[in-house]
Amino acid sequence: MHDVPVHDVPVHDVTIVGAGPVGLFLACELGLAGCSVLVLEREAERRSPWKSAPLGLRGLSAASAAAFHRRGLLGALRAESGADGENGPDGEADPDPGSGSGSGSGSDEPSPPRSAGHFAGMVLDPAKVDVAALPYRLPGPAAEGVMTYLEAIDTVLTARAAELGVEIRRGVTVTALEQDDAGVVVRADGHEDGFTARWLVGCDGGRSAVRRLAGFDFAGTGPQFTGYVALADLADPEKLDPGFTLTPAGMYVRMAAPGHIGVLDSDGGAFDRTRPPTREHLQAVLRRVSGTDVTLTGVRHASSFTDRAMQATTYRQGRVLLAGDAAHIHSPLGAQGLNLGIGDAMNLGWKLAATVRGHAPDGLLDTYGSERHPVGAAVLDWTRAQSATMRPGPDARAVQGVIRELIGTRDGTTYVYERVSGSSHRYDLGGTHPLVGRDAPDLRLADGTRLGELARDGRGVLLDLRADPSLRATALKWERRIRYAAGPARNDLGLGAVLVRPDGTVAWAGERAPGPEEFTRTALRWFGDPDR
């Protein structure tokens, strides 16, 4: 390590490299906690056809939508996305939050999902999801996730970052970094003095400069296929079936928007991705994979990707951390990359903020890596399994047949849905209650207030459903870091009290009339000494 030079330039608490959804969400989390934040972005312009309709269409899982809901941003995101957004590749539109979700219907009972995703292009039937088997599912504004656009996410998060005093500099290419025990200096073209901060987070994508410059190990597996996404003009689009279509040579996807197509070619990742795919190349690949003579008369936008699955062996090197695609890359099968990154940002934000502000309990920041690294590894394996299932040849076709039979059953559909939606995810936080470590259900109090609404200031939340006086007296010692709320819930799921971390994870749950002792131990573990 090198000594960090002292310059007559502002020193921020945190520098974030990358102004994508992950970097911006993290910046907002830190800004909400009172940290000074600088975001550096390589691209000079915000707008891009890859962010807007239809190429920028993305699906936020219920967990990601809940993150926006907890910070009061979900309504703005829906509005910016345009009502219900657009249909996904399986034709399923984003649900009306006031009907099926129960947020406006008055229902507080679990409801079946409106869509259930797919595995290796094999679409799940949402009617076969066993809602009773889903842990602690309640209806709410975020229960179904949301279809949106990268541009909408960018707009909403950029506006919130500005409200919170976050500084964003665009057109800045990072070229070097130095760190010591006090902080980190980031060097960039055209900025001789560099940018100094106490902490640095790389959110700069799969080809992360921060990851490379800080010396993180990046390990994993090579590609099995090359994928293409394009907005093209087709002379005969009716030759392609709508939605996902598995073929002996790979898979193609005909999206709802005219000309929006995707192709997976099982070529072992042989395509030279340093150059954009031409119309002739795309047409040849699409014809071979689809088994049709479909004709592309023009290509407006096109890009390629692979299913290379790589992960940083650690998410922290000294004062440098990684999040999002900078920490892990994989194929887009299952559309989990954005959601995985939002989860990273939500988990890291409050922990890094507590560290910056000086009240973090010992080891808190280290739990970012110990909690999120296994989640990333599981997603990489999930996408690897789909790639293996789609390989050409009789072996993979036999596997496809078995999986089709499995996801045709209620148990099989429910299992895949849990994995794709993230509803089965649980951090290992200890504790005896099965809700601990899970994403908190959006409990609704008798006056209509939702648990998610109580988390908008970024504090943890203690929801005391039995209004226990001793628990209230103990909880108020942490009132700067934990919001206390009491009262019965319309469906309390058998809970007496629940303590939720700022990232929406249940840290402690008690049944009937829980006393303050377990709460105290948990509060000290996650929120530190209340007198600090």
Side-chain angles (χ1 to χ4, degrees), residues 160-243:
R160 176 52 60 91
E163 293 173 0
L164 296 170
V166 173
E167 181 183 356
I168 301 175
R169 295 197 186 189
R170 299 184 181 273
V172 179
T173 300
V174 171
T175 57
L177 65 86
E178 303 169 18
Q179 68 163 313
D180 71 359
D181 293 338
V184 189
V185 173
V186 171
R187 310 288 183 186
D189 289 339
H191 300 272
E192 294 182 1
D193 288 337
F195 304 94
T196 306
R198 297 168 63 188
W199 295 88
L200 171 67
V201 186
C203 301
D204 49 339
R207 300 177 181 178
S208 171
V210 171
R211 185 183 67 229
R212 173 176 52 83
L213 293 169
F216 285 85
D217 291 329
F218 204 47
T221 53
Q224 301 296 316
F225 65 70
T226 299
Y228 304 89
V229 175
L231 188 59
D233 299 312
L234 283 72
D236 38 18
E238 69 281 356
K239 292 183 177 179
L240 301 177
D241 292 333

Side-chain angles (χ1 to χ4, degrees), residues 341-384:
I342 294 295
D344 289 346
M346 197 71 172
N347 187 286
L348 174 60
W350 69 280
K351 296 174 180 178
L352 183 55
T355 303
V356 168
R357 306 295 289 178
H359 59 76
D362 291 343
L364 179 66
L365 190 56
D366 290 334
T367 67
Y368 165 61
S370 63
E371 291 178 2
R372 293 305 297 174
H373 197 279
V375 178
V379 169
L380 264 63
D381 278 347
W382 188 252
T383 61
R384 288 184 182 112

Side-chain angles (χ1 to χ4, degrees), residues 59-85:
L60 291 183
S61 67
S64 295
F68 281 83
H69 169 50
R70 290 186 184 104
R71 298 302 182 254
L73 299 173
L74 186 56
L77 181 62
R78 287 187 181 276
E80 193 65 35
S81 303
D84 290 335

Side-chain angles (χ1 to χ4, degrees), residues 423-442:
S423 61
S424 64
H425 168 67
R426 184 185 184 190
Y427 295 129
D428 183 10
L429 305 185
T432 58
H433 197 283
L435 186 56
V436 172
R438 295 188 184 275
D439 202 52
D442 201 18

Side-chain angles (χ1 to χ4, degrees), residues 129-494:
V129 175
D130 184 1
V131 177
L134 300 178
Y136 304 103
R137 176 181 170 88
L138 287 178
E144 294 291 339
V146 61
M147 294 304 295
T148 185
Y149 304 99
L150 292 176
E151 185 174 73
I153 296 173
D154 182 288
T155 297
V156 169
L157 292 180
T158 298
R160 176 52 60 91
E163 293 173 0
L164 296 170
V166 173
E167 181 183 356
I168 301 175
R169 295 197 186 189
R170 299 184 181 273
V172 179
T173 300
V174 171
T175 57
L177 65 86
E178 303 169 18
Q179 68 163 313
D180 71 359
D181 293 338
V184 189
V185 173
V186 171
R187 310 288 183 186
D189 289 339
H191 300 272
E192 294 182 1
D193 288 337
F195 304 94
T196 306
R198 297 168 63 188
W199 295 88
L200 171 67
V201 186
C203 301
D204 49 339
R207 300 177 181 178
S208 171
V210 171
R211 185 183 67 229
R212 173 176 52 83
L213 293 169
F216 285 85
D217 291 329
F218 204 47
T221 53
Q224 301 296 316
F225 65 70
T226 299
Y228 304 89
V229 175
L231 188 59
D233 299 312
L234 283 72
D236 38 18
E238 69 281 356
K239 292 183 177 179
L240 301 177
D241 292 333
F244 295 94
T245 302
L246 275 169
T247 75
M251 182 179 76
Y252 70 87
V253 190
R254 178 183 157 198
M255 309 287 189
H260 188 191
I261 57 174
V263 191
L264 299 185
D265 181 18
S266 298
D267 64 349
F271 178 71
D272 180 6
R273 297 185 60 230
T274 61
R275 57 187 178 87
T278 63
R279 181 192 67 82
E280 291 79 11
H281 178 76
L282 280 172
Q283 178 172 279
V285 171
L286 182 57
R287 284 181 170 182
R288 175 161 42 79
V289 171
S290 67
T292 71
D293 60 353
V294 64
T295 299
L296 304 184
T297 58
V299 175
R300 282 169 276 173
H301 304 285
S303 71
S304 64
F305 59 90
T306 74
D307 61 330
R308 193 166 63 112
M310 309 285 286
Q311 186 178 26
T313 55
T314 179
Y315 287 2
R316 177 183 176 189
Q317 295 271 24
R319 288 182 171 266
V320 182
L321 299 110
L322 301 176
D325 289 350
H328 38 69
I329 60 171
H330 54 84
S331 85
L333 291 170
Q336 297 185 82
L338 174 59
N339 295 303
L340 183 59
I342 294 295
D344 289 346
M346 197 71 172
N347 187 286
L348 174 60
W350 69 280
K351 296 174 180 178
L352 183 55
T355 303
V356 168
R357 306 295 289 178
H359 59 76
D362 291 343
L364 179 66
L365 190 56
D366 290 334
T367 67
Y368 165 61
S370 63
E371 291 178 2
R372 293 305 297 174
H373 197 279
V375 178
V379 169
L380 264 63
D381 278 347
W382 188 252
T383 61
R384 288 184 182 112
Q386 293 181 78
S387 295
T389 302
M390 295 166 56
R391 278 185 200 147
D395 293 341
R397 285 196 294 273
V399 173
Q400 291 171 22
V402 172
I403 291 176
R404 284 188 190 279
E405 290 183 6
L406 287 173
I407 65 175
T409 68
R410 194 167 179 81
D411 287 347
T413 298
T414 303
Y415 169 76
V416 177
Y417 173 74
E418 285 183 304
R419 290 293 301 267
V420 171
S421 67
S423 61
S424 64
H425 168 67
R426 184 185 184 190
Y427 295 129
D428 183 10
L429 305 185
T432 58
H433 197 283
L435 186 56
V436 172
R438 295 188 184 275
D439 202 52
D442 201 18
L443 294 157
R444 183 158 59 160
L445 297 177
D447 65 1
T449 302
R450 291 188 173 276
L451 176 57
E453 296 167 3
L454 298 172
R456 293 190 174 174
D457 62 4
R459 286 184 292 172
V461 177
L462 174 63
L463 189 56
D464 182 1
L465 301 170
R466 303 293 183 264
D468 181 82
S470 61
L471 185 57
R472 178 182 184 276
T474 303
L476 289 180
K477 297 176 183 178
W478 277 272
E479 63 180 339
R480 290 180 300 166
R481 300 166 206 166
I482 300 174
R483 180 173 182 173
Y484 174 85
R490 299 186 183 186
N491 183 349
D492 63 16
L493 300 174

